[in-house]
């Protein structure tokens, strides 16, 4: 009986700790978002964050998208051949890329690259008193450090996903025409005929949410890091892991909202 | 802000300041007056609460109890905007410099000017160069990055950043830590010069007795979260207080060691 009570107590403590953490993250996000719309604004910081999250993530996202499109075309060719439905490869590739794989894989790549970098930068600033120094220089750290990154995350990832969508389809096109012997003109026509505006828009909305989540977890974990190098390392790991899990969880929620009637 | 204060009101008055982190009572009823235009040095062992005391005044840590009055006005009773206006009259030199490593030196120095006073970047650069000159650095240093500077130069740049907006109240957290004795003396000299030139009130915390004697008009000893002694720097080495005597002479035996052995 005693052991059972201990187990229940431990479970209760874990649930309370998780709820408390969710509350802290929600308050942090609310503060960060409110700082986006209140002056003073820091356009240079937004531009810098856009470059870090968007421009510098472009190569890894582009490579991921191309290879994903190629693998999709190859896999679907072997799978669809069982039903003599190889002509559907183009539609399968474009739907998969625009609705799911483009935003999710780009989000995960950006979480690993830019989210980790944000957590490391803010964590280092925290443990070396740079964040306290901002406060003593009449600068709200949430406004100067966090708000520009949240805004940049929500803007940069949809832009990356536009590129990922195009390159993903291109990857499928390359395999379909060069490896599977499809007519290129017909493949592209099938792609354009099948894809709908909602497919692309839903992917871009997902990307905006994922970009915000990546920036939020990078900033939250970095901003609240403690200790020295070990604390910064832990914050970086937590930022990537939590952002990746949240991307997958929110992907399900957003898919329910967009596509399930 | 200073217009509201009369001549008997200290620049900074702290009463009954308490702060605990979990079960550890770091500040346990601090009472302190710092008259305008004077320099107070707070000495004390590692973990005695010196940095926490400064951070409470700057609003970086919220104390549990007590009052902190700046020119007779309680900072802790002010709204957010009032508190921000009060902090804008203060400058801080952090122990490790805390320079922004993503900005060149001149932007570090001009950061407060750009953020607080909304001056243009060209004017900010000119003013940053002038402040760098005050701490003995050439304008060309402004184009370097903090990582390219030696420890002594980083301290100078951090000092330039702290004084760039001519604050009324200056804080120095371990200003000579990590510096060789000569560079330590140079930094102390710069601190004395800038405080005198600006007519500011200064509070420094340090372990360095030589530094304390150079900077201070008055010295206070913080021990177990309380001010246990306060006096002129000339009396520091012969205070008659066993805690201060042990600390200033660096003796292993004494009340501080005995407490550590328990």
């Amino acid at each position: 009986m005693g052991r059972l009570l201990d187990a229940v107590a431990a479970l209760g403590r874990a649930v309370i700790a998780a709820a408390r953490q969710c509350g802290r993250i929600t308050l942090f996000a609310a503060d960060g978002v409110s700082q986006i719309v209140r002056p003073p604004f820091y356009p240079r910081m937004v531009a810098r964050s856009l470059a870090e999250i968007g421009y510098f993530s472009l190569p890894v996202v582009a490579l991921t998208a191309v290879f994903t499109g190629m693998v999709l075309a190859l896999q679907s060719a072997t799978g669809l051949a069982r039903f003599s439905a190889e002509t559907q490869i183009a539609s399968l590739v474009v739907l998969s890329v625009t609705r799911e794989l483009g935003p999710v894989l780009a989000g995960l790549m950006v979480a690993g690259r830019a989210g980790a970098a944000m957590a490391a930068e803010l964590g280092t600033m925290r443990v070396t008193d740079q964040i306290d120094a901002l406060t003593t220089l009449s600068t709200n750290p949430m406004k100067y450090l966090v708000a520009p990154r949240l805004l940049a995350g929500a803007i940069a990832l949809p832009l990356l996903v536009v590129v990922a969508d195009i390159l993903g389809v291109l990857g499928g096109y390359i395999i379909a025409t060069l490896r599977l012997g499809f007519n290129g003109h017909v493949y592209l026509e099938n792609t354009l005929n099948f894809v709908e505006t909602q497919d692309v828009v839903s992917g871009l909305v997902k990307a905006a949410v994922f970009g915000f989540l990546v920036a939020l977890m990078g900033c939250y974990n970095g901003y609240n890091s403690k200790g020295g190098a070990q604390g910064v390392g832990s914050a970086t790991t937590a930022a990537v892991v939590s952002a990746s899990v949240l991307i997958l969880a929110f992907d399900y929620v957003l898919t329910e909202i967009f596509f399930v009637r | 802000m200073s217009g509201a204060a009369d001549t008997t009101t200290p620049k900074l008055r702290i009463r009954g300041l308490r702060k605990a982190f979990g079960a550890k009572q770091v500040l346990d009823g601090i009472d302190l007056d710092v008259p305008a235009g004077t320099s107070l040095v707070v000495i004390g062992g590692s973990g005695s609460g010196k940095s926490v005391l400064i951070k409470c005044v700057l609003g970086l840590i919220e104390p549990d109890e007590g009052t902190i009055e700046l020119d007779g006005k309680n900072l802790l009773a002010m709204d957010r905007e009032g508190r921000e206006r009060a902090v804008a009259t203060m400058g801080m030199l952090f122990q490790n410099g805390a320079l922004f490593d993503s900005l060149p030196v001149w932007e570090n120095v001009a950061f407060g000017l750009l953020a607080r006073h909304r001056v243009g970047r060209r004017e900010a650069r000119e003013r940053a160069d002038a402040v760098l000159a005050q701490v003995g650095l050439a304008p060309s240093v402004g184009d370097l990055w903090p990582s390219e500077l030696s420890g002594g130069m980083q301290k100078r740049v951090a000092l330039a950043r702290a004084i760039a907006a001519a604050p009324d109240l200056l804080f120095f957290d371990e200003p000579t830590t990590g510096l060789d004795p000569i560079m330590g003396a140079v930094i102390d000299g710069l601190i004395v010069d800038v405080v005198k030139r600006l007519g500011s009130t200064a509070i420094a915390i340090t372990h360095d007795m030589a530094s304390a004697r150079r900077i201070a008009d008055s010295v206070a000893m913080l021990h177990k979260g309380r001010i246990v002694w306060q006096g002129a720097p000339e009396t520091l080495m012969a205070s008659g207080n066993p805690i201060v005597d042990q600390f200033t002479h660096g003796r292993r035996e004494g009340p501080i060691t005995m407490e550590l052995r328990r």
Side-chain angles (χ1 to χ4, degrees):
Chain A
M1 188 65 183
R3 281 187 182 176
L4 181 65
L5 284 176
D6 287 346
V8 171
L11 181 66
R13 278 194 295 273
V15 169
I16 289 169
R20 192 174 287 154
Q21 183 75 338
C22 286
R24 285 197 196 103
I25 293 170
T26 305
L27 289 175
F28 187 87
D31 190 12
V33 170
S34 74
Q35 299 297 345
I36 291 174
V37 294
R38 281 189 287 178
F41 303 110
Y42 296 102
R44 290 168 67 89
M45 290 300 288
V46 176
R48 193 191 137 194
S49 300
L50 276 172
E52 281 175 0
I53 299 168
Y55 181 74
F56 292 115
S57 299
L58 199 50
V60 68
V61 169
L63 282 173
T64 305
V66 169
F67 284 116
T68 301
M70 291 166 76
V71 169
L72 259 181
L74 209 52
Q75 284 281 21
S76 54
T78 55
L80 291 173
R82 294 174 191 171
F83 311 101
S84 302
E86 292 96 327
T87 53
Q88 298 303 313
I89 290 175
S91 53
L92 194 147
V93 168
V94 72
L95 274 192
S96 303
V97 168
T98 54
R99 285 186 176 193
E100 285 299 322
L101 295 175
V104 170
L105 292 178
L108 294 175
M109 290 297 119
V110 170
R113 213 199 68 79
M118 274 183 231
E121 184 179 356
L122 266 61
T124 303
M125 290 186 75
R126 168 62 72 195
V127 301
T128 56
D129 288 334
Q130 291 179 52
I131 292 180
D132 283 349
L134 281 174
T135 305
T136 67
L137 293 166
S138 302
T139 301
N140 183 337
M142 288 295 292
K143 185 178 286 300
Y144 184 75
L145 296 174
V146 177
R149 285 171 169 82
L150 295 180
L151 182 61
I155 294 171
L157 203 59
L159 296 176
L160 284 172
V161 166
V162 170
V163 176
D165 286 352
I166 294 167
L167 292 178
V169 170
L170 178 68
Y173 174 86
I174 291 168
I175 291 299
T177 54
L178 299 182
R179 178 86 167 73
L180 304 174
F182 274 69
N183 178 290
H185 179 75
V186 172
Y187 185 91
L188 284 181
E189 200 171 80
N190 282 349
T191 298
L192 293 173
N193 284 342
F194 202 81
V195 71
E196 292 178 3
T197 306
Q198 194 201 2
D199 299 325
V200 178
V201 169
S202 68
L204 297 181
V205 172
K206 281 183 178 181
V209 173
F210 298 165
F212 177 83
L213 290 172
V214 167
L216 175 65
M217 299 319 295
C219 290
Y220 176 80
N221 286 289
Y223 196 88
N224 293 294
S225 65
K226 292 185 175 74
Q230 192 180 16
V232 176
S234 301
T236 306
T237 305
V240 176
V241 171
S242 56
S244 302
V245 171
L246 282 175
I247 284 171
L248 297 175
F250 272 77
D251 184 40
Y252 171 76
V253 173
L254 291 170
T255 302
E256 282 276 3
I257 292 170
F258 278 117
F259 297 108
V260 178
R261 298 280 187 272
Chain B
M1 185 168 280
S2 59
D6 60 50
T7 52
T8 59
T9 306
K11 183 72 185 175
L12 184 70
R13 170 177 283 164
I14 297 172
R15 288 290 178 271
L17 196 68
R18 290 174 191 277
K19 178 66 188 177
F21 294 100
K24 183 170 171 56
Q25 191 73 39
V26 178
L27 301 179
D28 191 15
I30 298 283
D31 294 329
L32 206 56
D33 286 343
V34 188
T38 64
S39 295
L40 170 73
V41 171
V42 180
I43 59 172
S46 300
S48 61
K50 305 187 297 296
S51 295
V52 174
L53 173 62
I54 284 184
K55 287 184 176 181
C56 284
V57 178
L58 283 164
L60 300 173
I61 292 175
E62 205 62 32
D64 299 330
E65 278 181 48
T67 60
I68 301 171
E69 292 179 9
L70 184 70
D71 294 318
K73 293 173 185 166
N74 186 5
L75 292 175
L76 304 178
M78 289 179 182
D79 59 15
R80 188 170 169 170
E81 284 76 20
R83 190 81 178 263
E84 284 174 357
R85 276 197 299 275
V87 170
T89 68
M90 303 177 193
M92 169 78 172
L93 170 62
F94 286 85
Q95 183 175 349
N96 57 11
L99 297 176
F100 305 127
D101 41 26
S102 59
L103 298 176
V105 164
W106 82 265
E107 282 196 60
N108 266 279
V109 175
F111 194 94
L113 298 172
L114 290 163
R116 189 184 300 167
H117 300 284
R118 299 268 142 201
V119 300
R121 290 179 67 79
R122 183 183 296 242
E123 185 189 344
R125 175 67 202 244
E126 287 169 2
R127 288 169 69 172
D129 287 347
V131 182
L132 283 171
Q134 288 177 31
V135 297
L137 294 174
S140 58
V141 174
D143 294 319
L144 299 176
W145 295 89
S147 58
E148 297 177 283
L149 304 178
S150 67
M153 287 173 85
Q154 287 192 9
K155 276 274 161 67
R156 287 185 192 222
V157 173
L159 178 60
R161 185 176 69 181
I163 65 171
D168 293 337
L169 183 56
L170 271 161
F171 296 94
F172 304 102
D173 187 355
E174 306 278 5
T176 58
T177 295
L179 301 179
D180 65 65
I182 297 170
M183 185 52 72
V186 169
I187 295 293
D188 286 341
L190 287 171
I191 288 172
V192 171
D193 285 347
V194 297
V195 169
K196 197 172 176 182
R197 186 165 57 242
L198 296 173
S200 306
T201 306
I203 300 175
I205 58 179
T206 186
H207 296 119
D208 183 345
M209 292 303 107
S211 176
R213 284 195 299 273
R214 281 193 290 258
I215 296 173
D217 295 317
S218 172
V219 180
M221 171 88 191
L222 186 60
H223 177 62
K224 293 181 76 175
R226 290 173 176 270
I227 301 294
V228 294
W229 179 86
Q230 188 165 0
E234 300 80 33
T235 62
L236 182 60
M237 301 306 283
S239 66
N241 182 306
I243 296 170
V244 177
D245 284 350
Q246 184 194 354
F247 186 80
T248 55
H249 292 93
R251 293 195 194 103
R252 293 177 63 188
E253 300 300 323
I256 299 174
T257 307
M258 286 171 68
E259 284 155 11
L260 290 173
R261 281 179 181 170
R262 274 181 204 160

